[in-house]
Amino acid sequence: MANDAQAKRIVVLISGNGRNLQAIIDGCASGAINGDIVGVIANKPDAYGLSRARNADIPSWVIPHQDYADRQAFDSALQARIDELEADLIVLAGFMRILTDDFVRHFLGRMINIHPSLLPKYPGLNTHQRAIDAGDSEHGATVHFVTPELDDGPAVLQGKLQINADDTAQTLATRVMQEIELTLYPEAVALYCDGKIKLTTTAPYRAIKQ
């Protein structure tokens, strides 16, 4: 974990395996990221990422979205927990929920996401198959600030790879994760924690690199 008094307080939101979470845990442990993960929150109780958090002695919580009447109620509960943790940065790491505008605006400039495409290409789901179907020669992942419009926030970092002739959606997803995401996301978190990137506070939003 980071020892610097100015280390950023990071909260990671997950829904599944938590591979990107693990990469960020490792980055904090090595000192590559000047931050401490002060909480991991999942919306699914069987998310394997919760085990990763426990193995690293990181506090974790489950807030099941199905326990709430609507998205607004769920997001309000999620926001309250994050605020209690006094998060400097919220990292969406495979968090499979569309967040309400109120939630996004509350954390505007403090929340980042990684999306498995070369945004602005292919926002939303099934990005790997869509890239193959379009006959693209390259594909990749984008770390971006979260803004109210889905997958539309300004890019922080982007990584590319070549699409092979025999790639399927599954093989492409695996390659993007292993060859790009697991390196790109910790790098972006480190930039934020070092104060080297920030988001303008009014639309049209821009990522400023310092």
Side-chain angles (χ1 to χ4, degrees):
M1 303 293 277
N3 295 315
D4 194 308
Q6 301 302 313
K8 299 298 185 184
R9 296 174 62 85
I10 302 167
V11 172
V12 183
L13 307 186
I14 63 170
S15 294
N17 186 282
R19 285 169 291 185
N20 276 312
L21 165 64
Q22 187 65 58
I24 296 166
I25 289 173
D26 294 344
C28 291
S30 71
I33 295 172
N34 187 28
D36 290 323
I37 301 176
V38 296
V40 171
I41 304 173
N43 65 311
K44 296 182 178 181
D46 60 348
Y48 182 70
L50 293 167
S51 296
R52 298 182 188 274
R54 286 191 292 269
N55 290 340
D57 294 322
I58 296 170
S60 61
W61 294 266
V62 179
I63 303 179
H65 60 271
Q66 64 268 24
D67 288 359
Y68 296 86
D70 52 32
R71 284 200 296 143
Q72 188 71 49
F74 170 74
D75 282 8
S76 293
L78 183 60
Q79 178 179 314
R81 173 61 67 185
I82 296 170
D83 283 343
E84 288 173 1
L85 293 168
E86 300 180 333
D88 296 307
L89 175 64
I90 299 93
V91 176
L92 306 184
F95 189 62
M96 304 304 291
R97 297 287 300 169
I98 295 177
L99 298 164
T100 57
D101 288 359
D102 286 345
F103 182 93
V104 172
R105 290 193 181 98
H106 182 75
F107 295 113
L108 191 66
R110 292 190 286 149
M111 185 159 53
I112 60 175
N113 179 52
I114 191 163
H115 183 74
S117 81
L118 298 175
L119 291 173
K121 280 190 170 184
Y122 314 128
L125 300 175
N126 303 317
T127 61
H128 310 297
Q129 189 62 56
R130 289 158 70 189
I132 291 171
D133 291 346
D136 290 353
S137 61
E138 60 184 15
H139 189 47
T142 306
V143 180
H144 64 95
F145 279 106
V146 179
T147 58
E149 192 71 27
L150 180 66
D151 296 332
D152 191 53
V156 174
L157 291 174
Q158 198 166 66
K160 300 178 181 180
L161 53 69
Q162 295 299 306
I163 298 177
N164 298 326
D166 60 350
D167 266 325
T168 65
Q170 184 56 55
T171 63
L172 193 53
T174 299
R175 292 178 60 220
V176 168
M177 171 63 72
Q178 293 179 347
E179 297 177 30
I180 297 175
E181 290 192 36
L182 296 179
T183 302
L184 196 72
Y185 216 0
E187 182 180 349
V189 172
L191 287 173
Y192 185 93
C193 291
D194 287 340
K196 294 181 178 178
I197 55 170
K198 66 178 182 178
L199 183 73
T200 57
T201 56
T202 56
Y205 301 109
R206 293 183 300 112
I208 299 174
K209 297 181 180 180
Q210 299 175 313

